[in-house]
Amino acid sequence: MTDPTGARGNGAPDPIAHVRPATPAERAEVHAMHGANRVAWDEAAERYERWLPEAIDLISSGGTNLLPPELELIGDLHGRCARAIHLQCAGGRDTLSLWNLGAESVIGVDFSPRMLELAGRLTAAVEAPARWILADVLDTPHDLDGTADLLYTGRGSLIWLQDLDAWAAVLQRLLTPTGRLVLFEGHPAEWLFDVDADGRWIATDYDYFAGPEASRGWAPEYIDHLALADEDQSWKFARAWTLGEVITAMLGAGLKLEQVREHPTDWWGGHGDVRPEDRGRVPLSFSVVARRG
Ligand SMILES: C[S@@+](CC[C@H](N)C(=O)[O-])C[C@H]1O[C@@H](n2cnc3c(N)ncnc32)[C@H](O)[C@@H]1O
């Protein structure tokens, strides 16, 4: 599977999934595309509900859902992070992993009511000092400005956003003067590769510069099938922002970039079928550490 939107696989269209380029009229309406995504993510929260018991066990036992490169970048937060803000926090499992790493309090922002309802249930079960804010990330409330000692985002968040300049401006305003942004994301090159029956990397027909596309249905490795049939789900809009677009938006907002790294880490478990000798050859994720400029 090439990407977690579930739109493409093995170079051939999935008979159930639907994918098409966004029309020029759709592309012009950022908030309408985000509105459709909000409905799609509320539908997908069904899958996260099934993960809630695991999430409660993980967080209450002091564990973390974060991947090794994220742990290396974030480090030990004890005594150095009064507030961590997690943008696009979904059901709060990664957010509360930051609490377990030592953040004194955590705030998660997401636009899906059903995801935040799950985050609330997780918080109640583990008695965490967490606050959940229902908002489009582009409209993150201004009372959070200048309050993030750690601003964390990633793991499949950026592809849903349709205005990166507006997003980068939010990052810049949320950080404290000494705060750090840690972003860990799927690499856009991931969409260019799939795996053949022998486990070798092959090229997909994805156009790296295509911009937003609309899809229905999800990758079975990630969300899997929902109670709602794919053809009855909301269209959702995603795009593999190029590395250049991401970095340029961050620089444009005035952020001071400290490091940009590319990783072979399979961040969503979509490439388990790659043969061992081919693992590590393709960038599947990237990270950025930055401070407010
Ligand atoms: C793949 S998840 C984020 C990764 C997270 N680590 C997880 O547990 O899967 C994407 C999240 O982004 C949220 N989201 C997508 N677009 C958003 C937007 N414009 N504003 C706020 N939340 C958004 C979705 O509701 C969803 O919870």
Side-chain angles (χ1 to χ4, degrees):
M1 189 57 78
T2 58
D3 71 89
T5 67
R8 266 166 269 92
N10 299 322
D14 185 304
I16 301 169
H18 307 257
V19 60
R20 60 170 173 79
T23 66
E26 286 169 335
R27 284 168 176 243
E29 296 292 338
V30 168
H31 278 95
M33 284 192 283
H34 283 200
N37 286 350
R38 182 178 197 234
V39 176
W41 270 106
D42 240 32
E43 292 164 359
E46 174 191 324
R47 181 70 185 98
Y48 282 62
E49 266 162 24
R50 285 184 255 152
W51 287 331
L52 183 61
E54 278 171 45
I56 292 173
D57 284 350
L58 177 82
I59 299 300
S60 60
S61 63
T64 168
N65 191 48
L66 300 171
L67 295 166
E70 295 180 288
L71 294 172
E72 187 197 326
L73 293 167
I74 292 168
D76 181 1
L77 297 177
H78 288 94
R80 54 193 275 259
C81 180
R83 175 179 284 179
I85 300 181
H86 179 191
L87 300 179
Q88 297 178 243
C89 63
R93 188 172 43 171
D94 301 349
T95 324
L96 292 183
S97 296
L98 299 173
W99 175 52
N100 279 347
L101 289 180
E104 283 167 43
S105 67
V106 294
I107 293 182
V109 179
D110 202 284
F111 66 3
S112 158
R114 201 165 159 193
M115 287 289 195
L116 290 197
E117 198 257 328
L118 281 175
R121 282 164 60 192
L122 176 57
T123 313
V126 303
E127 298 181 8
R131 193 170 132 208
W132 307 105
I133 294 179
L134 183 67
D136 189 304
V137 73
L138 304 185
D139 303 322
T140 300
H142 281 276
D143 65 349
L144 299 183
D145 287 358
T147 68
D149 298 307
L150 174 73
L151 182 57
Y152 165 71
T153 188
R155 305 268 289 274
S157 295
L158 268 187
I159 59 172
W160 306 106
L161 302 182
Q162 304 299 333
D163 184 345
L164 270 202
D165 293 335
W167 164 79
V170 172
L171 305 180
Q172 163 80 349
R173 70 176 165 84
L174 290 178
L175 286 164
T176 63
T178 56
R180 275 184 315 147
L181 165 76
V182 175
L183 173 148
F184 180 82
E185 260 304 353
H187 198 296
E190 183 180 11
W191 295 43
L192 300 172
F193 294 98
D194 208 336
V195 175
D196 70 10
D198 297 324
R200 291 169 212 265
W201 291 112
I202 50 169
T204 66
D205 57 1
Y206 181 68
D207 173 352
Y208 190 70
F209 302 105
E213 60 182 25
S215 67
R216 292 194 292 200
W218 295 87
E221 296 87 343
Y222 182 37
I223 297 290
D224 207 350
H225 293 293
L226 301 174
L228 209 53
D230 288 2
E231 56 272 29
D232 296 327
Q233 293 173 18
S234 171
W235 284 102
K236 56 192 188 310
F237 295 87
R239 62 184 294 164
W241 291 101
T242 69
L243 223 45
E245 287 167 333
V246 177
I247 302 305
T248 301
M250 295 174 101
L251 291 171
L255 287 157
K256 282 194 286 198
L257 273 51
E258 292 189 343
Q259 49 171 295
V260 180
R261 283 163 62 183
E262 292 159 286
H263 311 268
T265 308
D266 180 3
W267 59 279
W268 64 284
H271 304 283
D273 45 359
V274 179
R275 56 185 195 160
E277 58 269 46
D278 278 351
R279 287 184 200 284
R281 287 186 49 221
V282 168
L284 296 177
S285 42
F286 75 100
S287 59
V288 180
V289 176
R291 292 184 193 267
R292 178 171 153 174

